[in-house]
């Protein structure tokens, strides 16, 4: 009997967000990636945005060189990003839509209108030994197009599920995700999922039989602040008190 497993991809973008707020060298993004792997992450996910609002090129290079886990690089479908991926060679590239004014990725990639560009990108990445996933909504036409473009996997956008406040609405979205996961697997695509997942809502998504990977970041970083704040305050108190003794 085979035991089903789900890879946990920990997105550390918002460790970099905190660093970039002050332009400091801390918190250390590389150390965050290493700690995540030490405590159960199966891969590290970072989104290198065109405006470099959080993760920087040097972060991607350092994680690739010094973290003993696969790297999943989320990025826009641009020639600049494809060239960078060919140089860094992450294990996975996840193509996502990107708008400069958004706070976070707000929806799935429109694969239907970008099929030729995605097909060309898939060929470039494949030649560099990089697997490709596409961040998509639970839409049958988008998933079909993803398979036709040569993607290795889709990452199902779970934002609508996470944001649903009405239980019936959430259940309806979950059903769409379940159908999308089944369709994706039938087409030979790996099934990943992510966006807005927390300790409270991750269970039903993890329970979808086809899902093999979950990418989660914001909730993990937020929880880390709450769990680590007591120790951080106590350590600072001790550092001050040592000079007063």
């Amino acid at each position: 009997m085979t035991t089903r497993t789900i890879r946990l991809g920990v997105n550390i973008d918002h460790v970099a967000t905190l660093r970039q707020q002050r332009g400091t060298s801390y918190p250390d993004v590389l150390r965050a990636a290493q700690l995540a792997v030490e405590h159960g992450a199966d891969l590290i996910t970072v989104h290198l945005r065109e405006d470099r609002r959080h993760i920087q090129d040097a972060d991607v290079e350092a994680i690739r060189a010094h973290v003993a886990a696969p790297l999943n690089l989320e990025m826009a479908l641009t020639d600049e990003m494809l060239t960078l991926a060919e140089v860094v060679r992450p294990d996975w590239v996840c193509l996502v839509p990107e708008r400069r004014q958004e706070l976070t990725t707000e929806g799935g990639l429109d694969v239907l209108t970008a099929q030729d560009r995605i097909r060309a990108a898939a060929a470039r990445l494949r030649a560099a030994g990089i697997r490709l996933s596409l961040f998509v909504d639970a839409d049958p036409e988008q998933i079909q197009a993803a398979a036709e473009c040569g993607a290795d996997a889709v990452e199902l956008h779970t934002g609508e599920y996470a944001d649903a406040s009405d239980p019936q609405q959430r259940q309806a979205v979950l059903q769409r995700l379940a159908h999308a996961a089944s369709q994706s697997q039938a087409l030979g695509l790996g099934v990943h999922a992510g966006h807005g997942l927390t300790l409270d809502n991750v269970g039903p998504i993890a329970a979808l039989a086809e899902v093999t990977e979950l990418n989660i970041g914001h909730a993990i970083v937020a929880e880390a602040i709450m769990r680590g704040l007591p120790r951080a305050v106590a350590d600072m108190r001790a550092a001050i008190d040592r000079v007063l003794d």
Side-chain angles (χ1 to χ4, degrees):
M1 180 177 175
T2 302
T3 302
R4 177 172 169 250
T5 61
I6 296 178
R7 297 185 299 275
L8 172 60
V10 174
N11 185 314
I12 56 170
D13 290 351
H14 293 300
V15 176
T17 297
L18 184 58
R19 180 193 62 191
Q20 297 303 112
Q21 283 286 313
R22 287 280 186 97
T24 58
S25 60
Y26 65 87
D28 186 334
V29 171
L30 174 60
R31 182 62 180 143
Q34 292 168 330
L35 284 169
V37 172
E38 288 172 15
H39 292 275
D42 298 294
L43 65 150
I44 296 298
T45 295
V46 293
H47 184 174
L48 184 65
R49 283 183 169 266
E50 292 181 87
D51 63 8
R52 306 306 198 269
R53 70 175 65 170
H54 38 56
I55 293 294
Q56 305 296 302
D57 298 52
D59 296 324
V60 180
E61 294 164 1
I63 292 166
R64 187 61 175 139
H66 300 293
V67 175
L71 173 61
N72 175 34
L73 176 61
E74 296 180 343
M75 66 183 210
L77 178 57
T78 68
D79 190 64
E80 177 205 10
M81 291 295 170
L82 286 168
T83 299
L84 185 145
E86 288 170 324
V87 172
V88 176
R89 300 205 175 197
D91 300 271
W92 283 90
V93 156
C94 181
L95 292 179
V96 300
E98 187 172 314
R99 294 189 299 115
R100 295 292 177 95
Q101 63 270 37
E102 69 187 0
L103 291 176
T104 185
T105 306
E106 295 173 348
L109 188 69
D110 188 351
V111 183
L112 287 167
T113 61
Q115 280 184 282
D116 290 343
R117 293 172 61 213
I118 294 172
R119 191 174 290 110
R124 285 179 64 174
L125 294 169
R126 190 178 304 110
I130 302 166
R131 289 171 287 180
L132 173 65
S133 66
L134 304 179
F135 188 70
V136 298
D137 292 321
D139 180 293
E141 291 185 342
Q142 296 290 348
I143 292 168
Q144 180 68 44
E148 294 172 358
C149 286
D152 297 289
V154 290
E155 180 167 336
L156 298 176
H157 180 219
T158 55
E160 186 181 359
Y161 161 82
D163 292 340
S165 56
D166 177 79
Q168 288 186 324
Q169 180 190 4
R170 176 169 287 188
Q171 187 60 33
V173 178
L174 184 62
Q175 283 298 314
R176 292 205 303 272
L177 288 164
H179 292 150
S182 179
Q183 177 193 6
S184 300
Q185 187 180 72
L187 290 169
L189 295 165
V191 184
H192 308 166
H195 200 82
L197 297 178
T198 68
L199 289 170
D200 293 329
N201 65 27
V202 70
I205 300 298
L208 297 176
E210 299 84 1
V211 170
T212 59
E213 179 178 305
L214 293 172
N215 286 294
I216 304 172
H218 188 265
I220 290 175
V221 174
E223 189 69 20
I225 292 171
M226 292 298 108
R227 294 190 185 198
L229 192 59
R231 174 65 182 273
V233 173
D235 285 351
M236 183 59 73
R237 179 73 265 171
I240 294 168
D241 289 346
R242 276 196 296 272
V243 304
L244 301 178
D245 292 340

